[in-house]
Amino acid sequence: MNRINEDIKTGQWKQMYLLYGEEAYLRKQYRDRLKAAIAGDDAMNCNFYEGKNLPVGEVIDLAETLPFFADRRLIVIQGSGLFKSGGEELAEYLANPAKSAYFIFVETEVDKRSRLYKAVSKGGYAAEFTLQEEATLKKWILGMVKRENKSISAQALEYFLEKTGTDMENIHREAEKLFCYCMDKDAIGISDIEEICTKRLSSHIFDMINAIADKKQQKALELYYELLALKEPPLRILFLIARQFNLLMQVKALQGKGFSNKTIGEKVGLSGFIAGKYVTQSQRFTAQELRLAVEACVETEEAVKTGKMDDRMSLELLIVRYSS
């Protein structure tokens, strides 16, 4: 990111940039910043492609076309999937593109062994945007709070993150709602966050698993009924419960091998901050209990799909079984 910031500051841009990784908010922010820096308001010489089935021949022809009364033509390509397969033709062109053509590629996943990735890395710059750590997110949120001339306690900030999770797009959206709600207040409190911020579905499931681990059957059932009231399909809830138990099983196994929270997070696809919470939750179950819980979820799904049991009742029985 520092490299891109420096390029924007100096105006010495690479001919091609690849922005990739799990953090969608940062990908979008840097895409827009690069676009504004390279093309400005020149809509005539700025072209945008999104999705699979990219017309590569058309893109190459466009890149070879001289910009109209300008020095540069910018082509933004998003979600093409070509950095995983099928990008050979474009890679070949990017080895020697027209000097007036500039590219911004935005992808979630890439294969660093692909010809296209290597071509962009060699001729330009590839930046990975990973899920941010807790300390980074807190610093970012505090910056937003300060710009609104407000304050927030450490406890309220922690609670806000628990509500929103680590997705920066969701954090930004919930923060905007919170600032509007607290327009006439100097300090943001836990009660404000509780009142206005939407609880993520994954947090609901996490709390449900906590209640099951604590054998708080009534609490676990209340959380289940809340999800039903929010029109969440029982099979989707079952899928998320199974996913949670499966993740806990993996986390527990990795922790048993002595891995740090950060390494565990990398291996199972969680940020270090969230991985720490999963490590704590996994310690409340034995490895055998987690394995049996995953198997029970599979059996419940099969019973529902074969018509042997009602979906709502089968999931309720599963929760009762493990919270008793």
Side-chain angles (χ1 to χ4, degrees):
M1 287 187 281
N2 290 336
R3 178 72 171 273
I4 297 177
N5 289 332
E6 186 64 24
D7 289 356
I8 292 173
K9 182 180 178 180
T10 61
Q12 300 297 313
W13 305 297
K14 307 294 180 292
Q15 261 196 279
M16 56 200 85
Y17 290 90
L18 167 61
L19 315 177
Y20 72 97
E22 294 179 86
E23 185 45 75
Y25 181 82
L26 289 178
R27 292 199 315 266
K28 182 177 181 294
Q29 290 293 308
Y30 276 86
R31 179 201 68 189
D32 293 346
R33 288 187 64 197
L34 278 168
K35 178 178 175 293
I38 296 172
D41 297 327
D42 186 1
M44 187 172 293
N45 295 299
C46 184
N47 306 90
F48 187 83
Y49 292 89
E50 184 170 16
K52 312 290 185 186
N53 303 316
L54 179 75
V56 176
E58 178 184 312
V59 170
I60 293 173
D61 288 343
L62 187 61
E64 287 292 304
T65 304
L66 287 173
F68 188 72
F69 290 111
D71 297 325
R72 296 175 295 277
R73 177 181 296 282
L74 176 63
I75 301 174
V76 181
I77 299 172
Q78 184 163 311
S80 69
L82 293 179
F83 285 85
K84 297 195 77 176
S85 63
E88 290 75 13
E89 184 182 356
L90 189 54
E92 186 175 340
Y93 174 73
L94 291 178
N96 186 30
K99 291 184 179 179
S100 60
Y102 287 73
F103 293 84
I104 300 174
F105 298 97
V106 186
E107 302 285 338
T108 303
E109 295 180 285
V110 302
D111 183 349
K112 294 182 180 181
R113 300 167 298 178
S114 68
R115 282 187 63 190
L116 188 54
Y117 180 88
K118 291 175 181 177
V120 173
S121 296
K122 183 178 180 180
Y125 181 64
E128 182 177 11
F129 298 96
T130 59
L131 296 176
Q132 302 299 291
E133 290 297 318
E134 179 182 10
T136 304
L137 292 173
K138 284 183 175 179
K139 185 177 179 181
W140 179 56
I141 296 166
L142 287 172
M144 288 192 284
V145 171
K146 185 177 180 181
R147 284 194 295 274
E148 294 292 326
N149 296 315
K150 299 187 185 300
S151 63
I152 186 170
S153 68
Q155 293 83 359
L157 179 58
E158 190 78 31
Y159 184 65
F160 178 70
L161 262 181
E162 285 181 12
K163 273 264 192 179
T164 62
T166 58
D167 180 86
M168 293 179 73
E169 188 75 55
N170 189 53
I171 290 173
H172 187 265
R173 183 168 53 248
E174 293 299 314
E176 288 295 316
K177 287 165 52 180
L178 190 59
F179 296 149
C180 290
Y181 182 76
C182 298
M183 190 176 294
D184 299 326
K185 296 183 178 181
D186 294 327
I188 297 170
I190 289 177
S191 60
D192 301 316
I193 297 166
E194 178 65 35
E195 185 68 29
I196 201 67
C197 293
T198 304
K199 190 173 186 177
R200 295 170 305 138
L201 181 56
S202 57
S203 292
H204 229 108
I205 299 297
F206 193 93
D207 291 345
M208 188 187 296
I209 300 299
N210 265 343
I212 289 171
D214 292 338
K215 306 302 181 187
K216 295 180 179 177
Q217 189 175 99
Q218 189 59 39
K219 177 65 175 177
L221 289 171
E222 283 175 5
L223 288 165
Y224 173 51
Y225 298 145
E226 283 178 19
L227 289 174
L228 292 178
L230 291 170
K231 307 298 183 184
E232 287 294 338
L235 278 180
R236 173 163 168 73
I237 299 171
L238 176 61
F239 166 77
L240 290 170
I241 291 175
R243 178 179 178 274
Q244 181 82 356
F245 276 128
N246 190 40
L247 273 172
L248 291 174
M249 188 167 62
Q250 294 177 58
V251 166
K252 192 168 188 70
L254 290 168
Q255 188 198 18
K257 294 179 180 178
F259 289 109
S260 67
N261 290 357
K262 183 177 180 181
T263 304
I264 290 173
E266 290 170 353
K267 287 182 177 294
V268 300
L270 299 168
S271 70
F273 161 55
I274 296 297
K277 294 181 177 293
Y278 274 70
V279 167
T280 301
Q281 192 174 72
S282 72
Q283 292 169 349
R284 303 162 83 172
F285 297 91
T286 66
Q288 174 76 350
E289 284 174 334
L290 291 171
R291 186 179 65 80
L292 290 175
V294 172
E295 290 176 358
C297 288
V298 174
E299 291 168 2
T300 299
E301 181 182 12
E302 184 179 356
V304 171
K305 288 185 174 179
T306 55
K308 294 178 181 177
M309 292 190 71
D310 172 74
D311 54 359
R312 294 180 60 150
M313 181 59 69
S314 62
L315 189 46
E316 186 171 324
L317 290 173
L318 181 71
I319 293 169
V320 168
R321 173 181 171 185
Y322 280 93
S323 60
S324 296

